[in-house]
Amino acid sequence: MPTSRKSHWSLGQEAFDALLARLDSDREQAGRAYEDVRKKLLKFFEWRSCPFPEDYADEALNRVARRIQEGVQIENLQSYLLGTARFVLREAFRRPEQGQRNLEQISSPIGKETADQGDSETRLQCLEGCLGKLPDESRRLISSYYEEYSSKKRERQQLAKQMGIPMNALRIRVHRIRIRLEECVETCLEQAVSE
Amino acid sequence: MGEDLPSDETLVRYLLGQLSEDDQPQLEEEYFSDDDVFERLCTLEDELIDRYVRGELSGAQREGFEKRLLQSPEQRERIEFARSLMLRLPGPPATAPVHLFREKARTWRPTWLPHWPMRRWAVLMPAALGLLAVVVLGTWLRRPRAPSETHVQQPTRSQTEQAARAPDEALPQAPKQPSEGQIAALILTPGITRGGGSETRLVIPSNADVVELTASLEMVEYETYRAELRTVAGQEIWNEKDLHPRETAAGKGVILRVPAKLFANRDYILTLRGLAPSGRLQVAAEYSFREVRK
């Protein structure tokens, strides 16, 4: 977990509210914007090879929330968030011993637990259930995309053409369904572990 | 405006860590300010994950992928999800065709998809390859092999050559036609386990006639390998030469098909020797496992 030089500060309700207000005046919209921006930060740290992207993303958000609470004028919030994220990233890479600890905490990429057959079976059963819960249209689309139209770009372009949408739009549709499936499988696996 | 959008190629290079230090921050600014660019990156990441799982990435891409996109538990979880998805919704043959789980994939095919063709090949396995091997059963379409491909010491070489020419006759337990037989499969990771450690077990059902061993390699150092299967006492029961490493469900490795009847409830050591440019064979990896007849 990243530790800032001012780690005694923690995100309180007031600072969090200030951040939300800065994202959008409508509380509900602000909540969605918060999720969106957190996802971008998460991906930023993932794509920059950080072992604990969630922790780093939250650290970046906390720092920005603090600055807003302190009254710092921020013109472009997205840029400010990215700048803060880069700062957190530099700090993380400057602490090799911290990185090493992080790496030791996590299992190997080829971890024992993931190789477990029972785990794979449960995952497949969860996936089966989650596919069954998808609306028919989504289920057909994801099945077509992966099964009927294989992984060949040309074939998928054909599918996009048949659907009358650009290839990027098709990818995005499938990506969104895939995210729902992933979340559903994750929940299912958590339930399976707790049972 | 559209002209300024980064190309897919640029986005993929970013994901693989191949973008220059100058271009990287610029792209990050773009995806932070433009949701569409961000979403495109996410979809391309999905595709990279799928290609990784299917073994379709080139060496450099694979290296970049593993360095960049396999660092966090969340990312590795995504790999497992993709494996399941590929297994459940398999496309055409993967670079390294794998037979494991095929039986299960069929069994789990739900009723709401009756009209979709079931592909024969499945991408599998939590190639989290790991420390332990996974044993499963699947069906295996037996294929004739070139006579030079297999060398079995027991039974005799002549019997083996006969088997290569007429596999159905050589394996009497297998049904004649259609030539579907049972296969016991095991993924092996390098390292000898002796004593009380967690041993790797190969469970061979009584009706299995072939054992498929996937020997994963931490590093591919040779173009060709020779595999030798011995009992712990040192008796060689089987060997095969001219093996070429390829992408398997467990990463780079070699796939061996050994007649099940050669196994006899013992502990075995599989040795892979690499053929050095000098022509000498050098030990590249060793694997140990215990065979248990069901």
Side-chain angles (χ1 to χ4, degrees), chain B residues 261-276:
Chain B
K261 61 186 176 187
L262 295 183
F263 292 90
N265 265 338
R266 290 184 188 166
D267 291 337
Y268 294 92
I269 293 176
L270 173 71
T271 305
L272 281 189
R273 294 180 194 273
L275 183 63

Side-chain angles (χ1 to χ4, degrees), chain A residues 94-112:
Chain A
R94 239 185 266 139
R95 289 194 303 269
E97 75 290 349
Q98 177 74 32
Q100 187 56 41
R101 268 205 302 279
N102 288 345
L103 287 172
E104 284 165 3
Q105 284 164 12
I106 59 176
S107 60
S108 141
I110 46 178
K112 182 177 173 177

Side-chain angles (χ1 to χ4, degrees), chain B residues 89-189:
Chain B
L89 303 171
T95 306
V98 193
H99 318 281
L100 311 185
F101 285 128
R102 189 182 299 153
E103 199 63 58
K104 278 195 182 305
R106 279 201 186 119
T107 308
W108 290 342
R109 194 165 177 74
T111 50
W112 45 262
L113 274 176
H115 56 289
W116 273 315
M118 190 63 192
R119 308 293 170 98
R120 291 201 60 79
W121 306 100
V123 176
L124 39 133
M125 209 80 235
L129 10 140
L131 315 171
L132 293 181
V134 179
V135 182
V136 288
L137 269 182
T139 54
W140 178 60
L141 180 60
R142 201 184 308 140
R143 295 170 293 193
R145 295 181 226 176
S148 62
E149 192 181 330
T150 307
H151 301 280
V152 180
Q153 292 193 343
Q154 287 178 351
T156 65
R157 185 184 174 88
S158 61
Q159 283 174 306
T160 306
E161 285 170 354
Q162 185 186 359
R165 283 194 297 272
D168 288 340
E169 289 170 31
L171 296 169
Q173 290 174 337
K176 290 283 182 190
Q177 287 294 335
S179 58
E180 294 262 340
Q182 287 278 316
I183 179 171
L186 179 68
I187 290 184
L188 295 166
T189 50

